[in-house]
Amino acid sequence: MEDLKSLLKKLVEATGPSGHEENVRNIIEEELADFVDEIRVDNLGNLICTKKGAKDSPKAMILAHTDEIGMLVRYVEKEGFIRFSYLGGFFDQMVLGQRVLIHTEKGDIKGVIGSIPPHLLPDEERKKPVKRDKMFIDIGANSREQAEEWGIKIGAPITWLGYLDDLGNNMVTGKAFDDRAGCAIMVQTLKEVKAECTVIGVASVMEEVGLRGAQTSSFTVDPDFAIALDVSATGDHPGIEERQMPVKIGKGPGITIADGRRESLGGGLISHPKVLKLLTETAEENHIPYQLEIFEGGTTDATAAATTRGGIPSATINIPTRYIHSPIEVLSLEDLSNTFKLLKLSLENAHKYF
Ligand code: CO
Ligand code: ZN
């Protein structure tokens, strides 16, 4: 578990919003260099790592996305305050009052996300959540010219300032568990797996803006089946009823039966029965706890794989995570290590299924 935790820390504290994943990619490349037979980066920025299996054995693809939700500098006010675009799905309430890093050619610049304090707001507005167009980033600059002198430019990427911290009962908190938790498991699996099948780990780019890296990499890799590693929301805290989201932290990896838009499960994944069988039977045989889940409200890289070429049999394993898409996501290290076990053993079992 220590290995996974230190990997997670390293990956979470690296920054990589969609389209700017190189820091994360470099860490994974360095971690895996001595453990796989071939590593390459495709035109979009996906890192494709191959660990060869027996001759003519099936090809398994593991997808974990390297990008985190982030922002882009959109406009600099003449007083030096910065307006921003969202890159990924943000919840305005999670944005206000946070610390951020703006990444420039001259280095990282710290900033805070401010808005009008409640004392100065009209009564009506004080009752409502603050929207993005009322927020700005304060980097301490006095003018647009000064901000530009420090390296701020239109399009400069922005990420939360966040680090890994411990909570009770083996839980940790931090930013970008979505999907650095998946990346950590993929790395550890490629290091330790001894499978008959060929295992291809893809550290994909631009998931948060529409599964773009998974789309191109599944086409090139052309595997016999694919498993995406990602995070999913839980229903184990105040405000959610169990019937709405029965997945809980600490009860094992979530195996997704289906996901997609809330009203229809459109635009998502219906997991392939053969991959589901491999995952659930491996979990049962090895007494690994798991949770079957239907996730209404989002999807993962597996969706792109499933509709590539003639259709790649695909499924998703989700690490139960609270407060997803915030700088204080929470997960259990026990779930992390059970997810790793499930993936590793499934890959070692896969030649019997494919
Ligand atoms: Co996400
Ligand atoms: Zn994700």
Side-chain angles (χ1 to χ4, degrees):
M1 202 137 70
E2 263 323 294
D3 279 356
L4 270 173
K5 188 184 173 184
S6 55
L7 251 178
L8 180 69
K9 182 176 166 63
K10 217 179 193 184
L11 289 163
V12 156
E13 292 177 5
T15 54
S18 310
H20 303 269
E21 296 92 346
E22 54 283 351
N23 295 334
V24 184
R25 179 168 60 238
N26 292 342
I27 293 174
I28 298 177
E29 190 167 5
E30 209 182 285
E31 286 286 334
L32 286 177
D34 296 336
F35 293 89
V36 296
D37 301 298
E38 191 190 300
I39 294 192
R40 65 197 172 93
V41 181
D42 77 3
N43 294 337
L44 215 57
N46 297 299
L47 184 75
I48 303 174
C49 315
T50 304
K51 192 166 186 175
K52 287 190 184 132
K55 199 171 172 283
D56 301 321
S57 59
K59 277 202 285 184
M61 178 173 69
I62 310 304
L63 287 154
H65 67 89
T66 47
D67 59 322
E68 65 192 284
I69 56 166
M71 305 167 193
L72 294 175
V73 172
R74 187 176 57 74
Y75 179 74
V76 186
E77 302 277 356
K78 61 178 188 310
E79 299 84 3
F81 297 97
I82 292 159
R83 303 288 187 169
F84 49 90
S85 296
Y86 286 155
L87 206 47
F90 277 92
F91 190 37
D92 290 335
Q93 278 107 301
M94 290 293 192
V95 175
L96 186 61
Q98 297 296 342
R99 289 163 203 257
V100 292
L101 281 179
I102 306 179
H103 308 281
T104 79
E105 279 160 18
K106 296 186 177 171
D108 290 351
I109 293 173
K110 280 182 191 152
V112 292
I113 302 186
S115 75
I116 306 172
H119 318 69
L120 306 182
L121 275 178
D123 276 349
E124 261 322 292
E125 275 184 56
R126 205 184 304 175
K127 292 179 197 145
K128 292 186 220 145
V130 177
K131 292 261 178 272
R132 174 172 61 112
D133 59 2
K134 297 275 165 18
M135 301 179 206
F136 45 81
I137 300 173
D138 186 345
I139 57 167
N142 297 325
S143 66
R144 180 185 293 150
E145 289 66 33
Q146 190 171 44
E148 285 169 356
E149 226 168 85
W150 294 352
I152 302 292
K153 265 194 236 174
I154 308 296
I158 305 167
T159 52
W160 312 113
L161 185 60
Y163 51 91
L164 193 84
D165 223 337
D166 293 297
L167 300 178
N169 287 319
N170 256 326
M171 290 184 219
V172 288
T173 185
K175 73 164 178 73
F177 287 175
D178 178 5
D179 187 26
R180 307 288 158 69
C183 293
I185 289 164
M186 187 177 79
V187 168
Q188 198 63 19
T189 302
L190 279 165
K191 283 184 179 176
E192 292 190 27
V193 74
K194 292 187 178 68
E196 251 186 78
C197 67
T198 291
V199 181
I200 300 142
V202 176
S204 65
V205 293
M206 296 184 244
E207 190 268 357
E208 297 290 358
V209 288
L211 320 178
R212 300 179 199 175
Q215 203 177 324
T216 61
S217 56
S218 352
F219 188 89
T220 15
V221 171
D222 190 17
D224 293 289
F225 72 99
I227 298 169
L229 295 166
D230 216 314
V231 302
S232 67
T234 65
D236 55 0
H237 53 72
I240 310 184
E241 283 194 75
E242 194 188 70
R243 63 172 65 85
Q244 195 187 338
M245 183 24 117
V247 172
K248 293 183 177 68
I249 265 191
K251 301 285 182 204
I255 299 178
T256 304
I257 305 293
D259 66 19
R261 283 193 290 274
R262 202 180 331 182
E263 65 284 3
S264 61
L265 294 178
L269 176 77
I270 295 174
S271 289
H272 194 280
K274 222 161 142 185
V275 190
L276 280 181
K277 198 163 183 263
L278 165 66
L279 295 175
T280 51
E281 288 182 356
T282 304
E284 297 286 345
E285 282 158 21
N286 296 283
H287 312 287
I288 302 168
Y290 67 96
Q291 311 180 69
L292 293 179
E293 72 167 295
I294 291 177
F295 185 43
E296 296 180 343
T299 192
T300 73
D301 273 349
T303 293
T307 52
T308 296
R309 290 184 180 264
I312 296 164
S314 301
T316 301
I317 307 178
N318 273 321
I319 303 128
T321 305
R322 292 178 184 158
Y323 328 122
I324 49 174
H325 286 202
S326 87
I328 48 129
E329 295 175 336
V330 171
L331 62 73
S332 147
L333 293 173
E334 232 157 280
D335 287 337
L336 207 63
S337 91
N338 279 320
T339 308
F340 159 69
K341 273 184 217 159
L342 174 60
L343 180 67
K344 176 179 175 282
L345 294 170
S346 296
L347 291 168
E348 291 171 355
N349 243 347
H351 61 283
K352 299 174 199 154
Y353 292 75
F354 288 92

